[in-house]
Amino acid sequence: MPLSVSLSIEGDTTVIELEGELDAKTAPDFHQTIEKAAGHGTSIVEIRMAGVGYMASAGLRSLVFAQQKVGEHVTIKVVGAIEPVSRTIRTAGLDRSILLCDD
């Protein structure tokens, strides 16, 4: 399934909503959205992943890219990731610097 990516601003939070599969083929779309999110200057980037059914290693690299792009002063939250996706994030150790939230 192709990746659908949207970006919006809600107060001091930049919201990125993803739906589909986050893999090597679709990661560039996510990267473009991260570039836009980094320019908004909000203190939180919330990545809503409830619609992501699969995340490959390219998706993990995308999250690392997001951390690098937005900087240390911005909190990255991954919200609503299904168990296989959240387990992939935890296994990679990214949950030490990215907040995983159920909702």
Side-chain angles (χ1 to χ4, degrees), residues 53-77:
Y54 173 76
M55 184 171 65
S57 59
L60 293 173
R61 287 191 298 275
S62 293
L63 291 176
V64 171
F65 174 76
Q67 289 176 303
Q68 295 168 342
K69 199 67 187 166
V70 300
E72 294 178 8
H73 61 284
V74 176
T75 300
I76 297 178
K77 292 172 57 176

Side-chain angles (χ1 to χ4, degrees), residues 20-60:
E21 295 183 357
L22 189 50
D23 56 23
K25 185 176 178 182
T26 60
D29 291 337
F30 184 37
H31 283 221
Q32 289 177 351
T33 305
I34 292 166
E35 293 274 0
K36 292 177 190 172
H40 285 288
T42 56
S43 62
I44 299 170
V45 172
E46 184 174 299
I47 303 169
R48 296 180 182 167
M49 291 189 138
V52 176
Y54 173 76
M55 184 171 65
S57 59
L60 293 173

Side-chain angles (χ1 to χ4, degrees), residues 62-103:
S62 293
L63 291 176
V64 171
F65 174 76
Q67 289 176 303
Q68 295 168 342
K69 199 67 187 166
V70 300
E72 294 178 8
H73 61 284
V74 176
T75 300
I76 297 178
K77 292 172 57 176
V78 171
V79 179
I82 63 172
E83 178 56 31
V85 172
S86 62
R87 186 177 13 181
T88 299
I89 293 169
R90 284 187 183 97
T91 300
L94 293 179
D95 61 328
R96 292 184 202 111
S97 55
I98 292 175
L99 297 175
L100 283 175
C101 307
D102 292 334
D103 54 11

